[in-house]
Amino acid sequence: MTTCITGTGLYIPPYSISNEELVDSFNKYVENYNAKHADEIAAGTLTALEPSSAAFIEKVSGIKSRYVMEKDGILDPEIMAPVIPYRHLGEELSIMAEMGTAALKDALADAGLEANDLDGIILACSNFQRTYPAVAIEIQNAIGMIGGFAYDMNVACSAATFGLSQAHGSIVSGLAKRIAVVNVEITSAHLNWRNRDSHFIFGDVATASIVEELDTPKGYEILNSKLFTQFSTNIKNEYGFMDRSEFLAAQTEMYPDIKEPVTDKLFLQNGRKVFREVCPKVSEVITEHLQENDIATSDVKMMWLHQANANMLDLILRTVIGKEADKAIVPSVIAEFANTSSASPMIVFHRYKDELASGDLGVICSFGAGYSIGSVLVSKV
């Protein structure tokens, strides 16, 4: 018996925002802010905000556009956040479950399966719109899956590979025979669109993968996984259910440093440190994983990497495979989708999985906050 990825699905949100549109909105905000605080800026008590440009965004990230679930609020200089109405739990499908359900139905069709063929669903993401009941269980109900189990898990941008590893392990242990791993990212809601260094990074999307035990392999056989975590605060999002208590505490003299309970807890990143610290470790984890399986780097035909940044992709490719490596080994969708957190390596896998021949080896790898790194070795059947 082997464990294989037999189907994948992709849900693309209805709206796209180009760099040019984003910059136009951001620069209007900057202009309004600087005009409003002109006296403080002139007095030197406040620093003026700097405008951005589409060329700057593409140079530092490789991003040209991103998909989002709601566009108007993001591009409104007075709002600069997605305006998504509340849906009554139990009466309407949550927006996160709606996206995940669409991606999962796509993956089931790709695998030639029905909802009740599944034994489990793992919703592996960076952000969840609520704590409980698990959104995975809502998706289970939405697709009409009777019995089995479903649960949510979070390992930030590495959630997809950790989820695949969990699915593989559950199948090997006998807990299940078929598990869906779903990755839904509404990153537009966790992003501070007024931060020049990061307002362009993320986009929304949903992906799904079907992992199943087969006596006659098909799709991609999962050989094994390698997981790594190390604590770091260089990438963080502290927004959560404790915010109410912390905000109330901030009203006292006990915690005078907490001033902005919302924006201070959205996505924050020390990009330069992340680049310097994460890229070498990702290359190290992949290289060690290959060595542990007696696989030469020259035998790797494709690496489906987390689409964090085009420059990071290029550095990891050259470090693992070699300076003269063919860039086709690391396909990219970052120009179209931007960074979609946990879902990003699965978008690339979904788009490029048919390009390998039987017997070809590949690596699905993600990396992100934690720090967390996941490497999954697969072989095309």
Side-chain angles (χ1 to χ4, degrees):
M1 304 294 286
T2 58
T3 305
C4 300
I5 301 173
T6 59
T8 57
L10 173 65
Y11 169 78
I12 298 176
Y15 306 104
S16 179
I17 298 176
S18 68
N19 285 350
E20 289 75 14
E21 290 176 292
L22 194 64
V23 165
D24 181 63
S25 171
F26 179 79
N27 287 349
K28 285 178 181 175
Y29 161 72
V30 169
E31 182 181 345
N32 293 342
Y33 178 92
N34 289 343
K36 181 179 179 180
H37 300 282
D39 292 341
E40 297 100 314
I41 293 171
T45 58
L46 194 67
T47 302
L49 297 182
E50 294 182 32
S52 187
S53 71
F56 162 76
I57 293 173
E58 187 172 352
K59 179 180 179 181
V60 300
S61 67
I63 297 168
K64 296 182 180 179
S65 63
R66 70 284 298 146
Y67 293 103
V68 294
M69 293 301 292
E70 198 279 334
K71 182 174 181 175
D72 292 343
I74 294 172
L75 295 182
D76 186 334
E78 300 298 322
I79 301 175
M80 299 185 80
V83 180
I84 300 174
Y86 172 73
R87 300 184 183 187
H88 296 275
L89 185 61
E91 299 176 13
E92 306 168 275
L93 196 61
S94 72
I95 188 169
M96 194 171 187
E98 180 181 284
M99 295 169 67
T101 297
L104 179 50
K105 286 182 176 179
D106 193 25
L108 285 169
D110 190 38
L113 299 173
E114 301 292 334
N116 283 319
D117 292 324
L118 295 175
D119 300 307
I121 298 173
I122 301 172
L123 181 59
C125 316
S126 282
N127 296 283
F128 290 90
Q129 67 182 97
R130 63 173 184 268
T131 306
Y132 49 79
V135 179
I137 301 176
E138 187 182 7
I139 293 173
Q140 177 187 22
N141 183 66
I143 65 171
M145 175 183 160
I146 301 172
F149 61 87
Y151 62 87
D152 297 344
M153 62 172 285
N154 183 340
V155 200
C157 291
S158 281
T161 54
F162 277 64
L164 288 174
S165 180
Q166 284 290 309
H168 178 239
S170 295
I171 291 171
V172 170
S173 71
L175 181 63
K177 291 185 178 296
R178 294 190 183 94
I179 297 178
V181 180
V182 183
N183 320 106
V184 182
E185 296 294 359
I186 312 176
T187 54
S188 60
H190 91 152
L191 186 58
N192 182 357
W193 295 91
R194 293 175 175 173
N195 184 319
R196 183 179 183 272
D197 292 335
S198 62
H199 75 110
F200 54 84
I201 291 178
F202 290 104
D204 302 338
V205 83
T207 57
S209 308
I210 307 299
V211 181
E212 55 180 317
E213 181 185 67
L214 299 170
D215 52 5
T216 303
K218 66 176 182 177
Y220 275 85
E221 180 183 354
I222 297 177
L223 303 180
N224 55 50
S225 305
K226 186 178 180 68
L227 308 178
F228 169 86
T229 56
Q230 174 184 306
F231 185 69
S232 170
T233 60
N234 287 322
I235 313 173
K236 64 180 182 177
N237 179 341
E238 296 184 85
Y239 206 67
F241 77 97
M242 289 294 293
D243 290 347
R244 178 179 58 175
S245 297
E246 292 169 354
F247 177 71
L248 292 172
Q251 308 309 301
T252 73
E253 295 182 358
M254 293 172 59
Y255 302 99
D257 56 318
I258 302 177
K259 297 182 177 65
E260 296 288 344
V262 176
T263 57
D264 281 0
K265 292 199 169 188
L266 295 175
F267 173 80
L268 290 171
Q269 173 178 268
N270 187 329
R272 291 178 178 83
K273 274 193 174 183
V274 171
F275 191 95
R276 290 197 305 267
E277 295 174 2
V278 171
C279 287
K281 193 63 185 179
V282 172
S283 299
E284 178 185 324
V285 168
I286 294 175
T287 301
E288 288 179 354
H289 198 188
L290 294 172
Q291 291 172 347
E292 291 164 3
N293 288 270
D294 297 319
I295 298 173
T297 55
S298 58
D299 290 335
V300 176
K301 301 304 180 184
M302 193 164 286
M303 293 196 296
W304 302 279
L305 301 181
H306 170 43
Q307 305 288 292
N309 179 292
N311 298 314
M312 295 179 83
L313 298 180
D314 186 56
L315 179 58
I316 294 168
L317 169 65
R318 289 186 286 110
T319 307
V320 174
I321 306 298
K323 293 183 178 180
E324 305 304 320
D326 183 355
K327 288 193 174 184
I329 294 174
V330 177
S332 176
V333 296
I334 195 167
E336 178 185 355
F337 285 87
N339 181 339
T340 51
S341 194
S342 68
S344 75
M346 304 318 298
I347 299 174
V348 190
F349 182 76
H350 177 78
R351 286 269 180 97
Y352 291 89
K353 65 181 180 179
D354 294 335
E355 295 195 5
L356 297 194
S358 178
D360 283 348
L361 295 169
V363 180
I364 304 172
C365 182
S366 61
F367 43 90
Y371 295 131
S372 56
I373 301 170
S375 175
V376 180
L377 293 180
V378 296
S379 174
K380 179 71 177 291
V381 177

